[in-house]
Amino acid sequence: MAKFVLAGRADCPYYAKAELLADYLQKNLPDFRIHKITQHPDVWEEWLKDLCKKNRWSHNKSPIIWRELLDRGGKGLLLGGYNEFLEHAQLYYGVTSSMTTELMKSIAQENLGTHIEKELEEESLKGLVNPLQVWITSASSLACYHLIPILTSGEVFGPQMEISINLFDSKHTEEKLISHKQEAEDLASPYLQSVSICTQAEEAFHGAHVIIILDDHMDKEIYSLEDCIRSRAPLCQLYGSLIEKNAHNFAKIIVGGKTFVNLKTALLMKYAPTFARNIIAVALGVEGQAKAALARKLKITPSCIKDVIIWGNISGNNYVDLRKAKVYRYESAIWGPPHYSRPVLSLLFDRDWVNREFVASLKTLTATGRQFGGMLAAHSIATTLKYWCHGSPPGEIVSLGVLSEGQFGIPKGIVFSMPVKFENGTWVVLTDLKNTEISQQVMTRMANDLIQEQLVALGELANFQPCQSDYKDLFTHLMPDDEKDLILSDALDFLDLIPQTGSEKPQSQECTNNSEGKAMEQ
């Protein structure tokens, strides 16, 4: 019996032509057998090199075909490529191939798609046997304590996925890590395979599929805002090098909390460039606070408010945009089915509250020196992870800090919160949204702080000078002079942006002034 192996690059037209010929021979010849192997284009050359080295063959293109001689005690006999296979078929079996070039290319693309689907299926099946490795930094924090039950509920990664949680923090937090570990095990979750603790940096992120970066602890005195910013760079450099060295190739890295979220995300991208596309910053905490403030004013449930957009610096100079925001299930004279919604701005009749109290309350809540509560931080991270794995609700806008590629006129190369949707295991920036233009003045104010933060953190700028704005004047430039005194219902079209203008401050703990006039972290 003739046993042949056909191997090739998944998108190779000549592999497709050889495959069709081999299938014909196997179908029509009782003693002909073919085993087919495809490799992704990215790994084909390395795979072929290893194969030839192992068998001492000389071959450097796709496909490669050899005859198995295992039943004779041999290692295999190299036949060659497509031309050699066609010549063999003609000589021994009197069969040839008449496939057109266009058909070759079409089948090659189908082969590539099938190969990718097969890889994804195999990866999914592996997940049923091998648990998903989830690493959490600063794991002694309150946010981690609240995050663990959510991660082990089966809702974030799916009911078919078991996980192993790895709690990573400094040595002096080991007692609290042990306590977290014991409580996590006490949950007896069917989705939690194991919990481990790690206090040695060199061991961090081994085999990590998901890495959650929480607010880091600062153990030394911080004397200035610049010192606070610069203190983030060494830790991000350490994390970045460990991720590059130890993490799984397709690891998801998510940065949460209130400590220079955009800056830390940008630094991690710099120091872990291989994973840059898979590093994101969580903006749902600010979004949730904005929805809650609006819900209290409208006397509804916060979950009834959708499509609030957070622009800019998640933990600093940002804008809460209500132009797309909608309210569902709002009790009023106008009523509709569950999918019926009304614009938020059409229901806010208190102009002074919108201009002053709403803006001021968000400024206070999202100031960098104030921590998110543990529940809010945990829920925001878990929800973002859930969307990343399974997709965000259809038609819903999600705010996310990602690396700017120039969308919406945002300067390239900075991490900026903007509207996205999650689908197919990744996210897409919603650049087709209408009426989301941002004025140059507003854009400059938000981008300038982010650019300065990076320069200060990298030692390229000595002093940080945050852009300031008076919230009382934030709407006046949006309205013509002859319409500034209109009642709110007539002015709503001009209330485009609901801003928050708190600049970055040292955050990991609230900064106060001691008797010597220096800022200290408590």
Side-chain angles (χ1 to χ4, degrees), residues 105-133:
K105 292 180 178 178
S106 175
I107 293 178
Q109 288 305 309
E110 290 180 7
N111 283 343
L112 178 60
T114 302
H115 178 83
I116 292 174
E117 289 180 5
K118 184 179 178 181
E119 282 186 333
L120 292 174
E121 183 179 353
E122 288 176 353
E123 191 70 24
S124 177
L125 290 174
K126 286 180 183 178
L128 299 178
V129 179
N130 301 318
L132 196 73
Q133 296 293 328

PDB file of all heavy atoms in Angstrom, residues 105-133:
ATOM      1  N   LYS A 105      -6.283  29.363  -6.431  1.00  0.00           N
ATOM      2  CA  LYS A 105      -6.252  30.461  -5.464  1.00  0.00           C
ATOM      3  C   LYS A 105      -7.483  30.442  -4.568  1.00  0.00           C
ATOM      4  O   LYS A 105      -7.402  30.697  -3.366  1.00  0.00           O
ATOM      5  CB  LYS A 105      -6.152  31.794  -6.194  1.00  0.00           C
ATOM      6  CG  LYS A 105      -4.820  32.009  -6.909  1.00  0.00           C
ATOM      7  CD  LYS A 105      -4.798  33.357  -7.620  1.00  0.00           C
ATOM      8  CE  LYS A 105      -3.452  33.578  -8.299  1.00  0.00           C
ATOM      9  NZ  LYS A 105      -3.419  34.873  -9.035  1.00  0.00           N
ATOM     10  N   SER A 106      -8.640  30.136  -5.168  1.00  0.00           N
ATOM     11  CA  SER A 106      -9.882  30.104  -4.396  1.00  0.00           C
ATOM     12  C   SER A 106      -9.839  29.011  -3.329  1.00  0.00           C
ATOM     13  O   SER A 106     -10.188  29.249  -2.162  1.00  0.00           O
ATOM     14  CB  SER A 106     -11.065  29.870  -5.338  1.00  0.00           C
ATOM     15  OG  SER A 106     -12.265  29.730  -4.616  1.00  0.00           O
ATOM     16  N   ILE A 107      -9.386  27.823  -3.726  1.00  0.00           N
ATOM     17  CA  ILE A 107      -9.304  26.713  -2.769  1.00  0.00           C
ATOM     18  C   ILE A 107      -8.258  27.008  -1.696  1.00  0.00           C
ATOM     19  O   ILE A 107      -8.431  26.656  -0.523  1.00  0.00           O
ATOM     20  CB  ILE A 107      -8.978  25.397  -3.506  1.00  0.00           C
ATOM     21  CG1 ILE A 107     -10.149  25.006  -4.407  1.00  0.00           C
ATOM     22  CG2 ILE A 107      -8.679  24.278  -2.513  1.00  0.00           C
ATOM     23  CD1 ILE A 107      -9.913  23.757  -5.211  1.00  0.00           C
ATOM     24  N   ALA A 108      -7.168  27.682  -2.080  1.00  0.00           N
ATOM     25  CA  ALA A 108      -6.130  28.035  -1.107  1.00  0.00           C
ATOM     26  C   ALA A 108      -6.688  28.935  -0.008  1.00  0.00           C
ATOM     27  O   ALA A 108      -6.376  28.744   1.180  1.00  0.00           O
ATOM     28  CB  ALA A 108      -4.964  28.712  -1.812  1.00  0.00           C
ATOM     29  N   GLN A 109      -7.513  29.900  -0.378  1.00  0.00           N
ATOM     30  CA  GLN A 109      -8.110  30.779   0.622  1.00  0.00           C
ATOM     31  C   GLN A 109      -9.085  30.020   1.515  1.00  0.00           C
ATOM     32  O   GLN A 109      -9.170  30.266   2.720  1.00  0.00           O
ATOM     33  CB  GLN A 109      -8.818  31.959  -0.061  1.00  0.00           C
ATOM     34  CG  GLN A 109      -7.870  32.972  -0.675  1.00  0.00           C
ATOM     35  CD  GLN A 109      -6.868  33.507   0.341  1.00  0.00           C
ATOM     36  OE1 GLN A 109      -7.241  33.960   1.433  1.00  0.00           O
ATOM     37  NE2 GLN A 109      -5.579  33.454   0.001  1.00  0.00           N
ATOM     38  N   GLU A 110      -9.828  29.089   0.925  1.00  0.00           N
ATOM     39  CA  GLU A 110     -10.736  28.253   1.729  1.00  0.00           C
ATOM     40  C   GLU A 110      -9.938  27.397   2.711  1.00  0.00           C
ATOM     41  O   GLU A 110     -10.336  27.218   3.868  1.00  0.00           O
ATOM     42  CB  GLU A 110     -11.568  27.358   0.810  1.00  0.00           C
ATOM     43  CG  GLU A 110     -12.611  28.105  -0.006  1.00  0.00           C
ATOM     44  CD  GLU A 110     -13.409  27.164  -0.893  1.00  0.00           C
ATOM     45  OE1 GLU A 110     -13.237  25.936  -0.759  1.00  0.00           O
ATOM     46  OE2 GLU A 110     -14.195  27.671  -1.716  1.00  0.00           O
ATOM     47  N   ASN A 111      -8.812  26.864   2.240  1.00  0.00           N
ATOM     48  CA  ASN A 111      -7.958  26.057   3.116  1.00  0.00           C
ATOM     49  C   ASN A 111      -7.461  26.861   4.304  1.00  0.00           C
ATOM     50  O   ASN A 111      -7.410  26.365   5.434  1.00  0.00           O
ATOM     51  CB  ASN A 111      -6.763  25.503   2.336  1.00  0.00           C
ATOM     52  CG  ASN A 111      -7.130  24.326   1.456  1.00  0.00           C
ATOM     53  OD1 ASN A 111      -8.170  23.714   1.641  1.00  0.00           O
ATOM     54  ND2 ASN A 111      -6.278  24.016   0.485  1.00  0.00           N
ATOM     55  N   LEU A 112      -7.054  28.131   4.048  1.00  0.00           N
ATOM     56  CA  LEU A 112      -6.557  28.980   5.128  1.00  0.00           C
ATOM     57  C   LEU A 112      -7.657  29.235   6.156  1.00  0.00           C
ATOM     58  O   LEU A 112      -7.427  29.144   7.367  1.00  0.00           O
ATOM     59  CB  LEU A 112      -6.034  30.298   4.569  1.00  0.00           C
ATOM     60  CG  LEU A 112      -5.532  31.317   5.603  1.00  0.00           C
ATOM     61  CD1 LEU A 112      -4.380  30.726   6.413  1.00  0.00           C
ATOM     62  CD2 LEU A 112      -5.095  32.607   4.927  1.00  0.00           C
ATOM     63  N   GLY A 113      -8.869  29.538   5.672  1.00  0.00           N
ATOM     64  CA  GLY A 113      -9.982  29.767   6.592  1.00  0.00           C
ATOM     65  C   GLY A 113     -10.303  28.531   7.420  1.00  0.00           C
ATOM     66  O   GLY A 113     -10.534  28.622   8.629  1.00  0.00           O
ATOM     67  N   THR A 114     -10.295  27.375   6.775  1.00  0.00           N
ATOM     68  CA  THR A 114     -10.558  26.119   7.491  1.00  0.00           C
ATOM     69  C   THR A 114      -9.480  25.840   8.525  1.00  0.00           C
ATOM     70  O   THR A 114      -9.770  25.384   9.642  1.00  0.00           O
ATOM     71  CB  THR A 114     -10.625  24.954   6.492  1.00  0.00           C
ATOM     72  OG1 THR A 114     -11.651  25.215   5.531  1.00  0.00           O
ATOM     73  CG2 THR A 114     -10.911  23.641   7.205  1.00  0.00           C
ATOM     74  N   HIS A 115      -8.218  26.121   8.155  1.00  0.00           N
ATOM     75  CA  HIS A 115      -7.110  25.883   9.078  1.00  0.00           C
ATOM     76  C   HIS A 115      -7.235  26.769  10.319  1.00  0.00           C
ATOM     77  O   HIS A 115      -7.031  26.295  11.445  1.00  0.00           O
ATOM     78  CB  HIS A 115      -5.783  26.171   8.371  1.00  0.00           C
ATOM     79  CG  HIS A 115      -4.580  25.993   9.255  1.00  0.00           C
ATOM     80  ND1 HIS A 115      -3.991  24.770   9.481  1.00  0.00           N
ATOM     81  CD2 HIS A 115      -3.858  26.900   9.980  1.00  0.00           C
ATOM     82  CE1 HIS A 115      -2.969  24.914  10.311  1.00  0.00           C
ATOM     83  NE2 HIS A 115      -2.865  26.201  10.614  1.00  0.00           N
ATOM     84  N   ILE A 116      -7.576  28.043  10.111  1.00  0.00           N
ATOM     85  CA  ILE A 116      -7.716  28.962  11.249  1.00  0.00           C
ATOM     86  C   ILE A 116      -8.859  28.518  12.154  1.00  0.00           C
ATOM     87  O   ILE A 116      -8.747  28.532  13.384  1.00  0.00           O
ATOM     88  CB  ILE A 116      -7.935  30.405  10.744  1.00  0.00           C
ATOM     89  CG1 ILE A 116      -6.656  30.918  10.058  1.00  0.00           C
ATOM     90  CG2 ILE A 116      -8.326  31.334  11.893  1.00  0.00           C
ATOM     91  CD1 ILE A 116      -6.814  32.268   9.396  1.00  0.00           C
ATOM     92  N   GLU A 117      -9.988  28.114  11.556  1.00  0.00           N
ATOM     93  CA  GLU A 117     -11.119  27.623  12.352  1.00  0.00           C
ATOM     94  C   GLU A 117     -10.719  26.390  13.163  1.00  0.00           C
ATOM     95  O   GLU A 117     -11.110  26.257  14.334  1.00  0.00           O
ATOM     96  CB  GLU A 117     -12.290  27.288  11.432  1.00  0.00           C
ATOM     97  CG  GLU A 117     -12.972  28.507  10.829  1.00  0.00           C
ATOM     98  CD  GLU A 117     -14.118  28.124   9.920  1.00  0.00           C
ATOM     99  OE1 GLU A 117     -14.428  26.910   9.837  1.00  0.00           O
ATOM    100  OE2 GLU A 117     -14.698  29.017   9.288  1.00  0.00           O
ATOM    101  N   LYS A 118      -9.936  25.516  12.544  1.00  0.00           N
ATOM    102  CA  LYS A 118      -9.495  24.311  13.244  1.00  0.00           C
ATOM    103  C   LYS A 118      -8.589  24.654  14.416  1.00  0.00           C
ATOM    104  O   LYS A 118      -8.704  24.065  15.498  1.00  0.00           O
ATOM    105  CB  LYS A 118      -8.760  23.403  12.258  1.00  0.00           C
ATOM    106  CG  LYS A 118      -8.328  22.061  12.853  1.00  0.00           C
ATOM    107  CD  LYS A 118      -7.632  21.199  11.818  1.00  0.00           C
ATOM    108  CE  LYS A 118      -7.172  19.877  12.431  1.00  0.00           C
ATOM    109  NZ  LYS A 118      -6.458  19.034  11.429  1.00  0.00           N
ATOM    110  N   GLU A 119      -7.684  25.633  14.207  1.00  0.00           N
ATOM    111  CA  GLU A 119      -6.802  26.064  15.295  1.00  0.00           C
ATOM    112  C   GLU A 119      -7.605  26.622  16.464  1.00  0.00           C
ATOM    113  O   GLU A 119      -7.319  26.332  17.628  1.00  0.00           O
ATOM    114  CB  GLU A 119      -5.818  27.122  14.789  1.00  0.00           C
ATOM    115  CG  GLU A 119      -4.648  26.577  13.985  1.00  0.00           C
ATOM    116  CD  GLU A 119      -3.647  27.657  13.651  1.00  0.00           C
ATOM    117  OE1 GLU A 119      -4.045  28.843  13.574  1.00  0.00           O
ATOM    118  OE2 GLU A 119      -2.460  27.338  13.482  1.00  0.00           O
ATOM    119  N   LEU A 120      -8.613  27.460  16.148  1.00  0.00           N
ATOM    120  CA  LEU A 120      -9.443  28.047  17.202  1.00  0.00           C
ATOM    121  C   LEU A 120     -10.214  26.972  17.955  1.00  0.00           C
ATOM    122  O   LEU A 120     -10.356  27.025  19.178  1.00  0.00           O
ATOM    123  CB  LEU A 120     -10.414  29.066  16.594  1.00  0.00           C
ATOM    124  CG  LEU A 120      -9.792  30.343  16.024  1.00  0.00           C
ATOM    125  CD1 LEU A 120     -10.854  31.191  15.324  1.00  0.00           C
ATOM    126  CD2 LEU A 120      -9.111  31.153  17.130  1.00  0.00           C
ATOM    127  N   GLU A 121     -10.716  25.981  17.213  1.00  0.00           N
ATOM    128  CA  GLU A 121     -11.453  24.885  17.851  1.00  0.00           C
ATOM    129  C   GLU A 121     -10.542  24.081  18.770  1.00  0.00           C
ATOM    130  O   GLU A 121     -10.926  23.715  19.883  1.00  0.00           O
ATOM    131  CB  GLU A 121     -12.053  23.981  16.782  1.00  0.00           C
ATOM    132  CG  GLU A 121     -12.895  22.853  17.342  1.00  0.00           C
ATOM    133  CD  GLU A 121     -13.500  21.981  16.264  1.00  0.00           C
ATOM    134  OE1 GLU A 121     -13.378  22.342  15.078  1.00  0.00           O
ATOM    135  OE2 GLU A 121     -14.085  20.941  16.606  1.00  0.00           O
ATOM    136  N   GLU A 122      -9.321  23.798  18.296  1.00  0.00           N
ATOM    137  CA  GLU A 122      -8.368  23.047  19.115  1.00  0.00           C
ATOM    138  C   GLU A 122      -7.991  23.826  20.367  1.00  0.00           C
ATOM    139  O   GLU A 122      -7.842  23.255  21.448  1.00  0.00           O
ATOM    140  CB  GLU A 122      -7.124  22.730  18.290  1.00  0.00           C
ATOM    141  CG  GLU A 122      -7.357  21.677  17.218  1.00  0.00           C
ATOM    142  CD  GLU A 122      -6.130  21.453  16.349  1.00  0.00           C
ATOM    143  OE1 GLU A 122      -5.149  22.230  16.518  1.00  0.00           O
ATOM    144  OE2 GLU A 122      -6.132  20.522  15.535  1.00  0.00           O
ATOM    145  N   GLU A 123      -7.830  25.158  20.209  1.00  0.00           N
ATOM    146  CA  GLU A 123      -7.495  25.995  21.365  1.00  0.00           C
ATOM    147  C   GLU A 123      -8.621  25.976  22.379  1.00  0.00           C
ATOM    148  O   GLU A 123      -8.407  25.933  23.587  1.00  0.00           O
ATOM    149  CB  GLU A 123      -7.237  27.431  20.895  1.00  0.00           C
ATOM    150  CG  GLU A 123      -6.629  28.348  21.936  1.00  0.00           C
ATOM    151  CD  GLU A 123      -5.192  27.988  22.260  1.00  0.00           C
ATOM    152  OE1 GLU A 123      -4.518  27.367  21.428  1.00  0.00           O
ATOM    153  OE2 GLU A 123      -4.751  28.336  23.375  1.00  0.00           O
ATOM    154  N   SER A 124      -9.867  26.011  21.862  1.00  0.00           N
ATOM    155  CA  SER A 124     -11.026  25.956  22.745  1.00  0.00           C
ATOM    156  C   SER A 124     -11.107  24.626  23.483  1.00  0.00           C
ATOM    157  O   SER A 124     -11.406  24.575  24.677  1.00  0.00           O
ATOM    158  CB  SER A 124     -12.305  26.184  21.934  1.00  0.00           C
ATOM    159  OG  SER A 124     -13.444  26.074  22.743  1.00  0.00           O
ATOM    160  N   LEU A 125     -10.835  23.531  22.772  1.00  0.00           N
ATOM    161  CA  LEU A 125     -10.869  22.210  23.399  1.00  0.00           C
ATOM    162  C   LEU A 125      -9.783  22.063  24.449  1.00  0.00           C
ATOM    163  O   LEU A 125      -9.979  21.438  25.490  1.00  0.00           O
ATOM    164  CB  LEU A 125     -10.719  21.127  22.323  1.00  0.00           C
ATOM    165  CG  LEU A 125     -11.915  20.960  21.376  1.00  0.00           C
ATOM    166  CD1 LEU A 125     -11.590  19.966  20.276  1.00  0.00           C
ATOM    167  CD2 LEU A 125     -13.159  20.525  22.147  1.00  0.00           C
ATOM    168  N   LYS A 126      -8.623  22.681  24.176  1.00  0.00           N
ATOM    169  CA  LYS A 126      -7.548  22.646  25.169  1.00  0.00           C
ATOM    170  C   LYS A 126      -7.995  23.331  26.454  1.00  0.00           C
ATOM    171  O   LYS A 126      -7.639  22.928  27.554  1.00  0.00           O
ATOM    172  CB  LYS A 126      -6.298  23.342  24.625  1.00  0.00           C
ATOM    173  CG  LYS A 126      -5.541  22.541  23.574  1.00  0.00           C
ATOM    174  CD  LYS A 126      -4.328  23.324  23.093  1.00  0.00           C
ATOM    175  CE  LYS A 126      -3.590  22.580  21.996  1.00  0.00           C
ATOM    176  NZ  LYS A 126      -2.437  23.370  21.482  1.00  0.00           N
ATOM    177  N   GLY A 127      -8.793  24.404  26.285  1.00  0.00           N
ATOM    178  CA  GLY A 127      -9.257  25.131  27.455  1.00  0.00           C
ATOM    179  C   GLY A 127     -10.138  24.302  28.365  1.00  0.00           C
ATOM    180  O   GLY A 127     -10.239  24.566  29.558  1.00  0.00           O
ATOM    181  N   LEU A 128     -10.792  23.257  27.760  1.00  0.00           N
ATOM    182  CA  LEU A 128     -11.627  22.393  28.574  1.00  0.00           C
ATOM    183  C   LEU A 128     -10.784  21.463  29.432  1.00  0.00           C
ATOM    184  O   LEU A 128     -11.244  20.944  30.441  1.00  0.00           O
ATOM    185  CB  LEU A 128     -12.548  21.568  27.662  1.00  0.00           C
ATOM    186  CG  LEU A 128     -13.518  22.365  26.785  1.00  0.00           C
ATOM    187  CD1 LEU A 128     -14.321  21.428  25.913  1.00  0.00           C
ATOM    188  CD2 LEU A 128     -14.428  23.231  27.642  1.00  0.00           C
ATOM    189  N   VAL A 129      -9.545  21.227  29.009  1.00  0.00           N
ATOM    190  CA  VAL A 129      -8.655  20.340  29.747  1.00  0.00           C
ATOM    191  C   VAL A 129      -7.672  21.155  30.586  1.00  0.00           C
ATOM    192  O   VAL A 129      -7.490  20.910  31.774  1.00  0.00           O
ATOM    193  CB  VAL A 129      -7.885  19.419  28.775  1.00  0.00           C
ATOM    194  CG1 VAL A 129      -6.951  18.507  29.551  1.00  0.00           C
ATOM    195  CG2 VAL A 129      -8.859  18.612  27.930  1.00  0.00           C
ATOM    196  N   ASN A 130      -7.041  22.141  29.944  1.00  0.00           N
ATOM    197  CA  ASN A 130      -6.093  23.000  30.638  1.00  0.00           C
ATOM    198  C   ASN A 130      -6.781  24.287  31.067  1.00  0.00           C
ATOM    199  O   ASN A 130      -7.369  24.978  30.229  1.00  0.00           O
ATOM    200  CB  ASN A 130      -4.914  23.322  29.712  1.00  0.00           C
ATOM    201  CG  ASN A 130      -4.207  22.074  29.249  1.00  0.00           C
ATOM    202  OD1 ASN A 130      -3.990  21.156  30.029  1.00  0.00           O
ATOM    203  ND2 ASN A 130      -3.863  22.033  27.967  1.00  0.00           N
ATOM    204  N   PRO A 131      -6.739  24.651  32.324  1.00  0.00           N
ATOM    205  CA  PRO A 131      -7.454  25.837  32.787  1.00  0.00           C
ATOM    206  C   PRO A 131      -6.849  27.127  32.233  1.00  0.00           C
ATOM    207  O   PRO A 131      -5.667  27.197  31.910  1.00  0.00           O
ATOM    208  CB  PRO A 131      -7.289  25.768  34.309  1.00  0.00           C
ATOM    209  CG  PRO A 131      -6.035  24.991  34.517  1.00  0.00           C
ATOM    210  CD  PRO A 131      -6.002  23.980  33.394  1.00  0.00           C
ATOM    211  N   LEU A 132      -7.687  28.136  32.133  1.00  0.00           N
ATOM    212  CA  LEU A 132      -7.245  29.466  31.739  1.00  0.00           C
ATOM    213  C   LEU A 132      -6.452  30.068  32.895  1.00  0.00           C
ATOM    214  O   LEU A 132      -6.945  30.129  34.023  1.00  0.00           O
ATOM    215  CB  LEU A 132      -8.461  30.330  31.423  1.00  0.00           C
ATOM    216  CG  LEU A 132      -8.238  31.611  30.641  1.00  0.00           C
ATOM    217  CD1 LEU A 132      -7.929  31.286  29.181  1.00  0.00           C
ATOM    218  CD2 LEU A 132      -9.473  32.503  30.715  1.00  0.00           C
ATOM    219  N   GLN A 133      -5.227  30.504  32.614  1.00  0.00           N
ATOM    220  CA  GLN A 133      -4.374  31.062  33.664  1.00  0.00           C
ATOM    221  C   GLN A 133      -4.631  32.562  33.794  1.00  0.00           C
ATOM    222  O   GLN A 133      -4.331  33.332  32.885  1.00  0.00           O
ATOM    223  CB  GLN A 133      -2.900  30.807  33.337  1.00  0.00           C
ATOM    224  CG  GLN A 133      -2.508  29.342  33.299  1.00  0.00           C
ATOM    225  CD  GLN A 133      -2.599  28.689  34.673  1.00  0.00           C
ATOM    226  OE1 GLN A 133      -2.369  29.330  35.706  1.00  0.00           O
ATOM    227  NE2 GLN A 133      -2.926  27.409  34.687  1.00  0.00           N
TER     228      GLN A 133
END
